[in-house]
Amino acid sequence: MSASTVLLWRHGQTDYNAGGKLQGQVDIALNEIGRAQAAAAAEVLMRVQPVRIVSSDLSRAHATAQSLAERVGIDVHLDERLRERGFGEWEGLTHPEIAERWPEQFQVWTGGGHPDGVGAETRGGTGQRLAAAVREQAAAMDGGVLVVTSHGAAISSGITSLLGLDAEDWRGITGLGNCHWSVLRENPGSEPDWRLTAHNVGLEGPDFTHGPSIR
């Protein structure tokens, strides 16, 4: 038993996104644009007829998931393992603010390394927990589409882990734009278990121009 398709959907825009602030696990609500993005994307995603919707328990993801759930008439299941990567002391700050206060750690981070000493979660740890949640939720289904609503860094790290790669060291997958999604399809009898068939897909228009981000 397993879902045949997993659709990983990033939440809509927040004021932190618009202001260039690193969100991490701070619980920030969708702003007006984010709510409109979620509604517009849900009108498209309802066509895939999801059997199950599971979401991060952070409100920006939950509200995004709820916009789809209301249209297809199913409940949203919350799973805290789908939360964004935690960034410790950097949460709520802009990149220039981080660079000014932690120049060495910021340089390590932007170079692909792990910034020690600020309480940040590792990329690999983030990927492993999201992948574990996806596998568990998918295994409880007998075919159909599983929609997972989460966050930019968590999704890109999770996809890397689901593809059998080391999310700590391999950075070949970009983040997602607000309310964009990626699609994995099961790969039975082969390694890895899932194949990436679409990535960072979204609607066109002025409210969907914000590029991929780890915020």
Side-chain angles (χ1 to χ4, degrees):
M1 291 176 56
S2 176
S4 59
T5 301
V6 174
L7 189 148
L8 294 148
W9 187 23
R10 187 188 177 201
H11 62 80
Q13 189 192 99
T14 70
D15 285 344
Y16 269 27
N17 290 142
K21 294 182 178 181
L22 192 61
Q23 286 179 146
Q25 296 187 3
V26 177
D27 198 4
I28 305 298
L30 296 177
N31 61 18
E32 184 177 355
I33 288 176
R35 291 189 292 272
Q37 288 174 334
E43 288 292 324
V44 173
L45 294 180
M46 64 184 292
R47 300 172 194 166
V48 307
Q49 299 180 325
V51 174
R52 185 175 179 86
I53 301 173
V54 60
S55 172
S56 158
D57 61 343
L58 297 178
S59 60
R60 59 190 183 271
H62 187 194
T64 300
Q66 192 63 38
S67 66
L68 176 59
E70 290 172 354
R71 287 166 170 78
V72 297
I74 60 178
D75 294 331
V76 176
H77 302 272
L78 301 182
D79 191 327
E80 65 180 21
R81 293 174 295 177
L82 301 175
R83 286 184 178 186
E84 179 60 297
R85 180 183 176 188
F87 286 100
E89 296 179 61
W90 289 1
E91 294 184 351
L93 302 177
T94 64
H95 284 201
E97 290 171 336
I98 295 168
E100 181 180 358
R101 294 171 60 180
W102 293 274
E104 293 182 6
Q105 291 96 326
F106 184 75
Q107 186 174 12
V108 168
W109 180 49
T110 54
H114 178 69
D116 290 322
V118 300
E121 185 178 12
T122 66
R123 187 181 298 110
T126 304
Q128 289 169 11
R129 65 169 165 79
L130 185 136
V134 169
R135 289 191 177 103
E136 181 180 307
Q137 296 286 345
M141 296 170 56
D142 188 11
V145 177
L146 168 65
V147 172
V148 176
T149 308
S150 185
H151 310 264
I155 290 174
S156 59
S157 296
I159 289 173
T160 302
S161 294
L162 287 164
L163 296 181
L165 300 168
D166 185 353
E168 199 62 51
D169 298 322
W170 196 78
R171 301 189 70 192
I173 296 177
T174 66
L176 278 68
N178 283 124
C179 247
H180 285 52
W181 58 87
S182 296
V183 178
L184 295 166
R185 298 194 188 278
E186 64 176 343
N187 193 25
S190 302
E191 292 293 337
D193 297 335
W194 297 92
R195 292 185 294 178
L196 182 66
T197 61
H199 184 59
N200 198 27
V201 179
L203 305 180
E204 299 298 327
D207 289 343
F208 289 86
T209 56
H210 301 277
S213 169
I214 61 163
R215 301 185 185 95

